[in-house]
Amino acid sequence: RGKGEFRQLFVSGERRPRTRLPRQGFYWMKDVPGTGFHSGSMTSDLFAGTDTFVCSPGDIDGSWRNMNDVDVVAVHYWIEERMPVESFDKLTGEVKSSRRSMFVLKDDVAKRYAKYYVENVFEALTEPGQWYLDRPAGKVYYIPHPGETLEETEFVACSAQQLLKLEGRPDE
């Protein structure tokens, strides 16, 4: 109904994947404005998060349906940073997210920018078991596996944003 947001879908007790590009492997950020490499080291510190990067031509298509529902998942250091797309400039390849990254968008200790993939792209919905959430329309699109029928299949969407939170001070 356009009110829910979730990133996990279980079908008959099994987790199903959202659409993902590239299907295997990763894209690599081409540039991260305001950061850079100079004399072999990163000019920004670890906690220099940002909401903007530049992708290589063809990695992201500005004509995708519901661009604001596409998530960039930057995989670096010890986390996966989910950065929802706020805007995309087709001419420059600049991607702006509605959320800043926690860490500088760099590939751990390597001398290159972070790797990433994109999720929830309607145009990538092609394989059995994949699903796509169209929030504005309030619809979930799912390609069933052979033998799955709507009448005999249970769908569970998980909407918890946080499962566990640890707080305190190191001395407690």
Side-chain angles (χ1 to χ4, degrees), residues 25 61 72 120 124 130 139-140 154 159 172:
D61 184 341
V72 169
N120 206 46
Q130 288 181 321
K139 293 182 179 182
V140 175
E154 177 187 50
S159 61
E172 293 181 339

Side-chain angles (χ1 to χ4, degrees), residues 1 9 37 40-41 43 73 93-95 121 131 144-145 151 170 172:
R1 295 187 182 104
L9 181 69
F37 294 98
S41 63
T43 58
V73 184
E94 186 175 271
V95 179
V121 176
W131 63 278
H145 282 286
E151 298 77 29
E172 293 181 339

Side-chain angles (χ1 to χ4, degrees), residues 109-121:
V109 297
K111 294 179 178 108
R112 60 185 173 190
Y113 296 107
K115 60 187 173 186
Y116 71 98
Y117 59 92
V118 291
E119 280 190 343
N120 206 46
V121 176

Side-chain angles (χ1 to χ4, degrees), residues 14-80:
E14 293 183 13
R15 184 180 177 273
R16 297 289 193 233
R18 287 202 306 172
T19 59
R20 180 193 194 278
L21 291 174
R23 296 195 192 293
Q24 294 184 345
F26 301 94
Y27 297 128
W28 291 92
M29 293 179 184
K30 183 177 175 183
D31 188 23
V32 180
T35 64
F37 294 98
H38 182 70
S39 301
S41 63
M42 179 60 99
T43 58
S44 295
D45 68 14
L46 177 66
F47 295 102
T50 183
D51 61 1
T52 306
F53 72 93
V54 177
C55 69
S56 294
D59 288 358
I60 294 178
D61 184 341
S63 64
W64 287 338
R65 180 182 199 170
N66 299 328
M67 278 296 288
N68 297 121
D69 280 342
V70 173
D71 280 341
V72 169
V73 184
V75 182
H76 62 144
Y77 299 104
W78 53 89
I79 62 173
E80 290 183 345

